[in-house]
């Protein structure tokens, strides 16, 4: 689980071009959107693609995203429980 | 009819053209076939949150336009007109590569958003909150001149009092590799390059962005007046001298009235012959300048030339590194710029003090 969290932080920084942000800057429970990392709706689409492409998870209900993408912790938990690759 | 003055300039290029006076730190590296941009500190102009999705060309456009606005001491303009040959080609490449790599699945919007040609003009407008006329010309090697001509006509006709006009292009790895295959980029076996006396085909390529604040009023920041801009898509070598004479004539000028001629030599012997023809004949007694050994060739490299010419008129100094001959004049009041790419898309721009 710890390795997955680090992997996710890395992917998010690289995919979303988060300049000046390192893995250490993102706490597991920091909100990804809003006041936390400050991600927006375009980033949400990027995260959906990461789930699909890298972990084989297709989000059918967009409302689910709000809970899944709350933090690195919630993302990692969802991926661990639902990944197909 | 209003006059059109260049009241502010900003340039990001393969030379240090920001935080410097005028090419005093310029370096002629004749051992490269593709020159890359010297980036400014983007964070000084764009917030990290905004810049993270911006392509290289967009960032350079925003910085160049910010420099021009600051130089002209204006905060906003009535219109933004951009010229670009290939737009944000790096993100276009990324987007297309993603389509192929992922079998047309998993496509995300970021690269696509950035890959459109008018992204630069749009982002500048968003930054400035400028809701006026915003247009991008994509006309190959006359993209910048098309933008300049549009801006000049709008100011002349009172449609706008101040316009931000610029030319911007960036290199992309895949595009450059295609240009190499097509022989557009000089083969490395022909290095070191001698741009002025090249006997081989292919050009030295580069990238950059230059923006100008054009206004109808002359003021203390004024560099030069844009007298005329003309575009000819096709011209035979035998027609070039007559074409320039006619262009000057419509402005009531003769060759002897030109204090400096800026030529777009890019090291491609096949098309540099146009420049050779006029430099050795009609303009043999005129101070001649070149610049693509510093900026590299790209569709809007002529914007770098206008930046250089405007600086010369304002400072009355010509850096040694851009002199193509040793002829000098006591004053540089009227400068003619001539550019073409691969024998097509010829442009003539006339500016004066």
């Amino acid at each position: 689980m710890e390795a997955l969290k680090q992997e996710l932080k890395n992917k998010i920084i690289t995919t979303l071009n988060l300049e000046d942000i390192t893995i250490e800057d993102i706490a597991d429970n920091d909100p990804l959107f809003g006041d936390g990392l400050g991600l927006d709706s375009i980033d949400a689409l990027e995260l959906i693609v990461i789930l699909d492409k890298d972990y084989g998870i297709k989000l059918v209900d967009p409302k689910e995203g709000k809970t899944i993408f709350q933090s690195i912790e919630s993302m990692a938990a969802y991926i661990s429980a639902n990944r197909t690759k | 009819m209003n006059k059109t003055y260049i009241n502010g300039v900003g340039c990001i290029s393969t030379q240090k053209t920001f935080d410097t006076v005028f090419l005093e730190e310029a370096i002629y590296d004749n051992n490269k076939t593709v020159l890359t941009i010297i980036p400014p500190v983007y964070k000084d102009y764009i917030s990290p949150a905004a810049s993270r999705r911006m392509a290289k060309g967009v960032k350079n456009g925003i910085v160049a336009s910010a420099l021009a606005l600051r130089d002209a001491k204006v905060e906003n303009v009535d219109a933004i007109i951009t010229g670009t040959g290939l737009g944000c080609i790096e993100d276009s490449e990324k987007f297309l590569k993603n389509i192929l790599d992922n079998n047309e699945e998993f496509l995300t919007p970021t690269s696509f958003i950035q890959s459109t040609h008018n992204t630069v003009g749009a982002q500048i407008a968003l930054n400035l909150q400028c809701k006026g006329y915003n247009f991008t010309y994509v006309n190959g090697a006359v993209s910048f001149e098309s933008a300049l001509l549009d801006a000049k006509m709008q100011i002349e006709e009172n449609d706008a009092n101040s316009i931000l006009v610029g030319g911007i292009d960036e290199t992309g790895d895949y595009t450059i590799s295609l240009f190499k295959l097509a022989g557009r980029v000089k083969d490395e076996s022909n290095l070191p390059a001698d741009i002025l006396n090249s006997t081989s085909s292919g050009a030295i390529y580069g990238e950059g962005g230059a923006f100008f604040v054009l206004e109808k009023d002359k003021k203390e920041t004024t560099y030069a007046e844009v007298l005329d801009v003309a575009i000819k898509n096709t011209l035979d070598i035998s027609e070039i001298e007559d074409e320039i004479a006619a262009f000057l004539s419509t402005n009531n000028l003769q060759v002897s009235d030109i204090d400096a001629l800026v030529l777009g030599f890019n090291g491609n012997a096949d098309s540099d012959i146009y420049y050779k023809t006029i430099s050795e004949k009609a303009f043999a007694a005129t101070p001649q300048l070149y610049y693509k050994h510093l900026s590299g060739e790209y569709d809007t490299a002529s914007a770098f030339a206008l930046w250089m010419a405007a600086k010369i008129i304002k400072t009355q100094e010509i850096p040694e590194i851009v002199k193509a001959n040793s002829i000098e004049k006591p004053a540089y009041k009227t400068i003619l710029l001539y550019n073409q790419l691969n024998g097509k898309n010829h442009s003539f721009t006339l500016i004066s003090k």
Side-chain angles (χ1 to χ4, degrees):
Chain A
M1 188 73 156
E2 207 47 47
L4 177 60
K5 285 181 199 167
Q6 296 301 306
E7 184 181 297
L8 280 174
K9 288 176 189 176
N10 227 335
K11 276 185 201 290
I12 286 175
I13 290 170
T14 316
T15 312
L16 308 183
N17 289 326
L18 299 178
E19 297 169 357
D20 295 339
I21 289 183
T22 61
I23 290 179
E24 292 72 37
D25 295 331
I26 309 173
D28 293 351
N29 288 307
D30 276 353
L32 296 179
F33 293 83
D35 292 339
L37 211 51
L39 304 186
D40 59 24
S41 57
I42 293 175
D43 296 317
L45 287 171
E46 298 276 1
L47 296 182
I48 289 170
V49 170
I50 288 177
L51 284 193
D52 194 351
K53 191 177 160 185
D54 299 340
Y55 304 104
I57 301 169
K58 280 193 193 298
L59 277 193
V60 186
D61 182 6
K63 285 176 195 161
E64 278 184 303
K66 208 170 177 183
T67 331
I68 300 165
F69 299 135
Q70 210 158 30
S71 65
I72 291 289
E73 185 77 46
S74 59
M75 260 187 99
Y78 186 80
I79 290 169
S80 294
N82 297 283
R83 67 188 302 171
T84 59
K85 60 178 176 184
Chain B
M1 202 160 69
N2 293 322
K3 290 184 174 182
T4 306
Y5 293 99
I6 300 172
N7 284 346
V9 302
C11 182
I12 301 299
S13 71
T14 55
Q15 301 294 325
K16 199 154 186 253
T17 41
F18 54 91
D19 293 341
T20 52
V21 181
F22 184 25
L23 294 177
E24 70 276 15
E25 293 180 29
I27 295 165
Y28 177 15
D29 184 351
N30 58 1
N31 273 307
K32 281 185 184 161
T33 56
V34 180
L35 308 175
T36 50
I37 208 129
I38 295 182
V41 181
Y42 295 117
K43 278 182 224 161
D44 292 350
Y45 302 88
I46 314 162
S47 73
S51 80
R52 71 189 171 95
R53 286 202 196 102
M54 287 181 184
K56 183 171 56 172
V58 176
K59 288 194 236 183
N60 291 328
I62 288 179
V63 176
S65 61
L67 291 172
L69 289 164
R70 187 198 295 169
D71 196 30
K73 295 180 180 162
V74 298
E75 289 187 355
N76 216 323
V77 286
D78 298 329
I80 297 167
I81 311 176
T82 314
T84 181
L86 295 172
C88 300
I89 193 73
E90 218 175 14
D91 273 38
S92 301
E93 286 180 8
K94 265 189 224 166
F95 182 66
L96 293 172
K97 191 173 180 303
N98 275 340
I99 292 177
L100 293 173
D101 289 351
N102 299 317
N103 285 328
E104 301 184 17
E105 285 184 284
F106 310 123
L107 296 177
T108 56
T110 308
S111 303
F112 177 68
I113 293 167
Q114 296 291 330
S115 67
T116 54
H117 287 72
N118 54 3
T119 308
V120 179
Q123 288 289 348
I124 293 171
L126 273 171
N127 255 20
L128 295 175
Q129 288 298 301
C130 173
K131 296 179 178 68
Y133 178 89
N134 194 309
F135 205 91
T136 299
Y137 286 88
V138 184
N139 291 347
V142 289
S143 300
F144 172 64
E145 284 73 13
S146 304
L148 186 61
L149 190 57
D150 184 355
K152 187 177 185 312
M153 289 194 294
Q154 294 213 34
I155 287 178
E156 278 176 355
E157 299 300 326
N158 249 333
D159 287 333
N161 293 326
S162 63
I163 297 179
L164 190 60
V165 63
I168 188 128
D169 271 293
E170 63 179 26
T171 54
D173 291 342
Y174 188 67
T175 306
I176 286 292
S177 73
L178 292 179
F179 280 3
K180 283 182 178 172
L181 274 177
R184 290 181 71 163
V185 177
K186 190 173 285 301
D187 193 276
E188 292 191 355
S189 63
N190 292 314
L191 294 177
D194 179 359
I195 293 235
L196 280 181
N197 302 294
S198 175
T199 53
S200 57
S201 61
I204 302 301
Y205 263 75
E207 57 185 347
F211 271 82
F212 306 84
V213 172
L214 303 185
E215 290 178 299
K216 69 182 177 66
D217 297 317
K218 195 173 187 173
K219 59 188 196 184
E220 80 279 6
T221 66
T222 296
Y223 284 75
E225 180 191 347
V226 180
L227 289 181
D228 203 359
V229 183
I231 292 167
K232 278 271 172 183
N233 293 116
T234 51
L235 266 181
D236 192 76
I237 294 169
S238 61
E239 298 170 314
I240 186 64
E241 282 194 287
D242 287 345
E243 190 66 37
I244 290 182
F247 175 67
L248 292 179
S249 176
T250 57
N251 290 285
N252 300 314
L253 294 170
Q254 298 175 357
V255 168
S256 57
D257 295 316
I258 301 302
D259 298 314
L261 173 68
V262 181
L263 296 167
F265 281 102
N266 66 12
N268 181 359
D270 303 337
S271 54
D272 278 353
I273 192 159
Y274 280 90
Y275 304 123
K276 281 258 180 209
T277 301
I278 59 167
S279 70
E280 290 171 358
K281 293 179 182 172
F283 289 90
T286 306
Q288 295 167 16
L289 317 175
Y290 70 130
Y291 58 95
K292 287 180 186 167
H293 57 310
L294 302 179
S295 70
E297 177 66 275
Y298 49 98
D299 285 311
T300 50
S302 50
F304 180 95
L306 183 64
W307 170 84
M308 189 175 96
K311 284 261 190 186
I312 289 169
I313 287 187
K314 189 168 186 176
T315 62
Q316 290 295 298
E317 282 178 20
I318 301 181
E320 284 298 322
I321 201 165
V322 300
K323 289 180 181 174
N325 64 12
S326 55
I327 299 167
E328 292 187 352
K329 285 233 179 174
Y332 298 95
K333 290 181 180 171
T334 307
I335 297 181
L336 172 66
L337 298 92
Y338 167 47
N339 188 59
Q340 49 86 14
L341 180 59
N342 299 326
K344 290 177 184 163
N345 290 329
H346 304 256
S347 64
F348 311 97
T349 305
L350 199 54
I351 63 170
S352 81
K353 195 171 171 67

